[in-house]
Amino acid sequence: MKKHIFSVLVENHFGVLARVANLFSARGYNISSLTVGETEDPSISRMTIVAVGDDSILEQIAKQLNKLIDVIKVRDITHRQHVERELVLMKINAPKATRADIIQAVDVFKGTIVSMTRDELGVELSGDSDKMDAFIEYIRPFGIKEMVRSGKIVMAR
C-alpha cells in the first residue's frame, strides 16, 4: 500500500466537498487526510487529499476525481518536487517538574507556546509530516491531553 498526495482544484461552491467525499466513500477508498482552502482566485479551492492504496486504486481515484463536474484539475504530486506542511495544536500535561523539558523540546522543534495554565501548555507546531511525527513521539511520554492535526497542505515547486 502506498500513500499518495493529490492536489485537486475545484469550483468553490457548496456541495463539492460532499461529492468528492462520496466518491471515496462509494468506492471504499480511505482518505488519510483532507484539507480544503480557497486559492488566489476566490472562485477556486484547492483540496489536498492524502489517500492510501495500491497503484491501481490510486490511478482509479485520479480518474474518478477527473470525472466530477466541479473538478478543474487533479495532480498526483507524490513524486514531484513539492513543499508540504502540516499544523499541529496540542495541549500537553506540563507540571512544574517537566515544564522546562517540554519548553526546550518545543524550542528545538521550532514550535510556539500558545497557551499556558498551571498544569498544561498549549503548543503550535508546523512543518512536514516527519517533523510532526517526531515531535509527537517525543512529547507523548509527558502526556498529550488533546491534539488536533490539520493534515497536509502541499504546493508543487
Side-chain angles (χ1 to χ4, degrees):
M1 298 292 237
K2 297 177 181 176
K3 189 176 275 192
H4 278 245
I5 305 166
F6 295 98
S7 178
V8 184
L9 293 176
V10 297
E11 298 291 337
N12 183 13
H13 53 82
F14 96 94
V16 175
L17 177 59
R19 284 187 276 284
V20 170
N22 281 339
L23 181 150
F24 279 82
S25 174
R27 288 159 181 82
Y29 304 146
N30 189 36
I31 297 174
S32 293
S33 75
L34 169 68
T35 57
V36 183
E38 200 174 89
T39 65
E40 67 282 1
D41 178 349
S43 68
I44 298 173
S45 292
R46 179 183 310 275
M47 293 182 171
T48 303
I49 303 169
V50 179
V52 177
D54 60 30
D55 287 339
S56 65
I57 288 174
L58 297 169
E59 183 181 332
Q60 192 65 22
I61 287 172
K63 287 180 179 176
Q64 295 296 321
L65 285 169
N66 273 311
K67 289 181 181 177
L68 294 177
I69 193 160
D70 300 311
V71 171
I72 299 166
K73 186 176 185 178
V74 177
R75 294 174 64 191
D76 181 349
I77 63 169
T78 307
H79 301 296
R80 296 181 184 189
Q81 286 193 336
H82 64 273
V83 177
E84 72 174 66
R85 293 289 182 268
E86 273 190 72
L87 174 68
V88 172
L89 296 173
M90 64 174 53
K91 293 178 186 173
I92 304 166
N93 187 30
K96 192 174 183 179
T98 60
R99 186 171 291 238
D101 293 335
I102 294 168
I103 291 172
Q104 184 179 19
V106 170
D107 187 48
V108 166
F109 282 88
K110 301 191 184 325
T112 304
I113 306 289
V114 294
S115 66
M116 181 183 297
T117 67
R118 188 178 181 94
D119 295 321
E120 75 179 29
L121 292 173
V123 174
E124 171 188 326
L125 188 70
S126 67
D128 63 29
S129 297
D130 290 341
K131 178 181 173 183
M132 301 299 107
D133 292 341
F135 181 74
I136 292 166
E137 187 65 31
Y138 181 83
I139 216 73
R140 191 174 303 278
F142 293 100
I144 298 172
K145 291 180 155 183
E146 187 176 348
M147 181 173 74
V148 179
R149 196 167 174 167
S150 69
K152 291 183 185 192
I153 57 170
V154 298
M155 179 181 283
R157 290 184 181 202

